[in-house]
């Protein structure tokens, strides 16, 4: 009798405990999900969304064929590090990225990051111009929340495709406290690079992205970011550029330096309406004797000249290989020609003063 009573009492207690567990389980699960950061993935195309004829196709595949929902579904592990939502912003190979795409993207990111419900943004992107998009966003995003641009060197259909792990790392990084205030980041191959310094160094290998002499910011290991340094140039919240009301940018083109260079390209760009020219000179941004009259005439027409270098490393010295005071030109500091183009376009939305634009080049 006693034991039967005890048994039923024990059963009742067990049932009560079970019921309370069952009742609170969804609430607990919800709490755990709520603790994860909310990250939006903006997909733009590229090899990360590419597909090849078979699993060994790592060149000659088609970029930008896989949609954002399939990219997300291919990495179920994303759910462990963030609450993820996807948006297909464009579906293009990144060599076709234009100023108009950048303006659309930056505006969308600014809207998303202004919301309290979004903790970070990841942009999936082709690797060919990833460094340019990242630098443009570095100068135009108005938030200190993490923005991570990611791509892949192998299409999604390849053996050992690098897209899934790169996307997982990027989402984790975009949801991390460590990435707050670091400016726009480019994360591939377990490495974190600053938008200003990173560049593609190899046409096809997965370790292609380097910040060369200035160095990367850190690593990703075991689902955690490790930062060791920071870019010292202004970005994001400290940037003076506001694209919110712009629907185009001033035309700026790049003329490439080489032995036997001539002025045909530069004159053609100016005739086609260029407001600025990046002169990607040899060495320390040297200007060939036959190019000097073209530069002088360009300034007389009000076209801004920035002396950059095709070398890829080092500071272009003001009044070094050319007399910038006399030419009324600007030097690019350490910016590559393709990034100098971006900064000059944005600078020209604010001013035509060479002194002011030189200050801008020493600031960003
Ligand atoms: C592209 O930039 O869209 C193609 C190349 C790549 O993503 O690696």
């Amino acid at each position: 009798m006693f034991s039967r009573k005890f048994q039923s009492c024990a059963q009742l207690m067990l049932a009560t405990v079970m019921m309370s567990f069952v009742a609170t389980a969804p609430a607990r699960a919800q709490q755990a999900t709520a603790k994860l950061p909310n990250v939006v993935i903006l997909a733009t195309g590229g090899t990360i969304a590419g597909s090849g004829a078979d699993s060994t196709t790592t060149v000659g595949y088609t970029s930008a064929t896989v949609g954002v929902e399939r990219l997300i579904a291919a990495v179920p592990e994303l759910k462990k590090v963030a609450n993820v939502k996807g948006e297909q912003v464009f579906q293009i190979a990144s060599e076709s990225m234009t100023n108009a795409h950048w303006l659309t993207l930056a505006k969308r990111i600014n809207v998303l990051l202004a919301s309290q419900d979004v903790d970070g943004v990841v942009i999936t992107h082709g690797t060919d111009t990833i460094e340019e998009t990242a630098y443009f966003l570095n100068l135009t995003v108005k938030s200190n929340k993490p923005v991570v641009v990611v791509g892949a060197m192998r299409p999604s259909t390849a053996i050992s495709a690098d897209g899934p792990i790169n996307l997982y790392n990027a989402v984790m990084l975009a949801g991390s406290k460590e990435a707050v205030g670091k400016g726009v980041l480019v994360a591939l191959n377990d490495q974190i690079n600053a938008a200003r310094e990173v560049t593609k160094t190899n046409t096809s290998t997965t370790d292609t992205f380097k910040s060369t002499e200035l160095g990367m910011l850190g690593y990703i290991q075991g689902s955690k970011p490790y930062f060791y340094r920071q870019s010292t140039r202004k970005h994001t919240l400290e940037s003076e550029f506001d694209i919110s009301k712009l629907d185009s940018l001033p035309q700026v083109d790049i003329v490439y330096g080489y032995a036997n260079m001539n002025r045909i390209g530069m004159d053609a760009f100016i005739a086609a309406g260029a407001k600025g020219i990046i002169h990607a000179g040899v060495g320390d941004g040297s200007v060939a004797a036959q190019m000097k009259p073209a530069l002088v005439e360009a300034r007389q027409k009000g076209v801004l000249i920035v002396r950059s270098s095709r070398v890829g490393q080092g500071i272009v010295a003001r009044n070094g290989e050319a007399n910038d005071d006399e030419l009324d030109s600007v030097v690019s500091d350490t910016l590559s020609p393709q990034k100098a183009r971006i900064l000059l376009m944005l600078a020209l939305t604010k001013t035509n003063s060479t002194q002011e634009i030189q200050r801008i080049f020493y600031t960003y």
Side-chain angles (χ1 to χ4, degrees), residues 60-305:
Y61 53 86
T62 312
S63 271
T65 59
V66 178
V68 67
E69 293 309 331
R70 268 176 65 199
L71 288 183
I72 293 172
V75 193
E77 296 84 354
L78 293 177
K79 290 194 190 79
K80 292 186 190 167
V81 291
N83 303 313
V84 168
K85 274 191 192 153
E87 280 181 32
Q88 193 75 49
V89 191
F90 324 116
Q91 186 63 298
I92 58 171
S94 78
E95 63 267 27
S96 304
M97 198 60 69
T98 63
N99 296 347
H101 289 115
W102 285 342
L103 289 169
T104 302
L105 190 59
K107 286 175 190 174
R108 183 68 192 132
I109 293 169
N110 282 331
V111 168
L112 286 168
L113 293 182
S115 160
Q116 283 187 344
D117 298 336
V118 179
D119 298 303
V121 167
V122 167
I123 299 108
T124 60
H125 198 288
T127 60
D128 289 348
T129 60
I130 204 170
E131 68 202 64
E132 293 174 58
T133 298
Y135 187 54
F136 181 79
L137 297 176
N138 200 47
L139 299 170
T140 54
V141 166
K142 297 285 173 206
S143 173
N144 66 356
K145 292 180 187 174
V147 176
V148 181
V149 197
V150 66
M153 291 302 288
R154 295 179 184 147
S156 65
T157 44
I159 312 174
S160 294
D162 50 336
I165 181 68
N166 286 348
L167 183 61
Y168 173 77
N169 282 340
V171 168
M172 179 281 299
L173 185 60
S176 74
K177 301 232 172 336
E178 289 89 337
V180 171
K182 297 284 197 308
V184 174
L185 303 171
V186 176
L188 290 91
N189 201 38
D190 299 344
Q191 297 176 345
I192 309 166
N193 282 281
R196 184 183 184 279
E197 275 105 37
V198 70
T199 194
K200 191 173 193 178
T201 64
N202 186 292
T203 55
S204 50
T205 60
T206 53
D207 64 345
T208 179
F209 284 98
K210 308 276 180 209
S211 296
T212 55
E213 289 181 347
L214 294 178
M216 64 176 167
L217 304 187
Y219 299 102
I220 295 169
Q221 194 183 64
S223 299
K224 280 195 197 134
Y226 293 87
F227 281 90
Y228 296 90
R229 57 176 293 278
Q230 213 163 308
S231 185
T232 56
R233 293 307 177 92
K234 286 189 176 177
H235 55 72
T236 55
L237 278 185
E238 288 194 319
S239 168
E240 64 202 86
F241 306 112
D242 178 9
I243 50 91
S244 61
K245 295 194 176 63
L246 298 179
D247 50 22
S248 66
L249 292 167
Q251 184 187 331
V252 174
D253 293 294
I254 301 172
V255 297
Y256 196 82
Y258 50 93
N260 202 43
M261 189 179 181
N262 63 59
R263 58 182 289 175
I264 297 170
M266 182 159 159
D267 289 344
F269 282 136
I270 293 170
K275 302 286 180 282
I277 292 287
I278 307 298
H279 179 273
V282 296
D284 190 6
S286 302
V287 179
Q290 65 272 23
M291 287 300 293
K292 276 195 184 134
L295 264 56
V296 170
E297 285 169 41
R299 280 307 293 135
Q300 284 162 356
K301 290 180 184 148
V303 176
L304 246 296
I305 305 294

Side-chain angles (χ1 to χ4, degrees), residues 24 44 50 54 93 251 262:
T24 54
T44 72
D54 55 45
Q251 184 187 331
N262 63 59

